[in-house]
Amino acid sequence: MEERKGFGSNFGFLMAAVGSAVGLGNIWGFPNKMGANGGFTFLVIYLILAACCGIIVMVGELALGRKTGRGAVGAYRVLSKKFKWLGWLGILSAFLILFFYCALGGYCIKYVVVNVGDLFGAGFGSNGLNGAEVFGAFMGNQMEAVIYGLIFVLLTMIIVMGGVGGGIEKVCSVGMPALFIILLICIVRACTLPGAVDGLKYMFVPGWALENGVIKKAPDFLTVLSTAGGQMFFSLSLGMGAMITYGSYLHKKENIEKNALLIVIMDTLVALMAGLCVIPGRFALDPTGDLGGPKLLFITMQNVFHKMPLGALFGILFYLLVVFAAISSSISLLEVIVAHFCDKARDAGKGDKRKSYSLIAAVFVGLGCILICMDSLGGAGISPFNILGMDPENLPMWSDCWLDFFDCISEGILMPLGALLMCLCIGWELGPKMVDDECCLEGQSFKMKGFFNICVKFITPLCMLLVLYGQIREFFF
């Protein structure tokens, strides 16, 4: 049987896992949701959920993967009788997220090209158009959007084809430190702009957004809880099989508890840094611009760079860091899919077949990416609400474009549901001792053992139920 290769070092694993966690959700989601849901109050709730749910699920998923040496599907199949099907939720989530992630990653590549054009005065730059006009022209050219989206799919496929050590680890070991450096440069520039202090108040001062008319209504507690919970799962790559898969490549000598803590802390740090990069710039140079979602990246930020000295240069740096963030997440999602089929082929004595399965998975991802690009974020008349003949004035959140539809199913339902069922599996079928034993290999200690055992059986499932209910209410009602 061909050997199943893993990460060459714990640093490589950590950069890959942090890269999986750090993505578009950190950059356009976290700072906006934080500001619109109470600023520092949201941050406190997010940190509590990260401690009681995020770290618990992270430790559980890493332990499941390392104990079995299998991806999401294989891990549950080996260990559980009642939940042996659960890994397929991770496979489905990975596919659905990749559909829109690759489309958005392609948009980011396009904006790197636009800012390169602006820097050198080339015809492929913005040609004096503002952010909304540049984005509108791009959305109107669906074939161009498809081409950039498929370029992103191709890059993701090539890295995953290179394997865990030769592809994923090498890219993330260089890309993630580079992302931190670029973020720091952009933060210094954004926070030194006149008027940037309002962006800091929006993010960190409780009630500032409501008092200054940035939001019309204060959210209730359940809305804040579900928003923070949904953001936490999407941001930390939990409930989608990614951490089980990466955990399956982790050496037995490595400390699961320490790695889980570092991943959660570093991801939260990057989310806050991303907020310090984009929100002050928005308040300083585009006060009426969008604060979240794709329009924050592709309209508001482009307007900011148009008005900023040396803006094209900072635009190149910013969109490069977004590409890094997106690619580090997309390769982990594609690896969830590829690892399962590679494990099956290896167990059957057919060899690794990584390149073949990477190509097949990328083809299916490419088809979903094409649908997202052709939909033009709901502007092409092929969105779910168009097809179903729904009233545009009373749209539920999932129906206005295919991106939101796939996001609803994955982030809104499958990810918190998968994490909930994982906790029930570990807490009530396998028993927390399975994770305790895996974390104590090679003479290591599991310092949060008591806290983990209580949370995985009682506290985390209850929080997951509340988050799942809040997510369903937000997306559908």
Side-chain angles (χ1 to χ4, degrees), residues 27 178-193 196 272-282 301 304-305 308 310-322:
I27 297 168
L179 184 147
F180 275 95
I181 293 170
I182 296 173
L183 258 179
L184 286 172
I185 294 171
C186 292
I187 287 169
V188 171
R189 174 67 280 198
C191 289
T192 54
L193 291 168
L272 289 170
M273 291 173 69
L276 295 175
C277 176
V278 300
I279 300 299
R282 180 270 187 194
M301 291 309 296
V304 168
F305 297 130
M308 183 187 295
L310 296 176
L313 179 60
F314 285 103
I316 294 169
L317 290 174
F318 175 77
Y319 288 111
L320 276 176
L321 86 83
V322 180

Side-chain angles (χ1 to χ4, degrees), residues 33-82:
K33 291 175 182 177
M34 182 177 168
N37 287 273
F40 187 73
T41 306
F42 173 90
L43 179 61
V44 171
I45 293 174
Y46 180 91
L47 292 176
I48 292 171
L49 283 174
C52 295
C53 300
I55 292 173
I56 301 304
V57 176
M58 182 76 71
V59 168
E61 291 194 348
L62 291 176
L64 284 172
R66 192 174 77 171
K67 182 175 182 62
T68 59
R70 291 289 182 271
V73 175
Y76 285 108
R77 186 172 289 166
V78 167
L79 292 174
S80 175
K81 294 180 180 178
K82 297 178 182 177

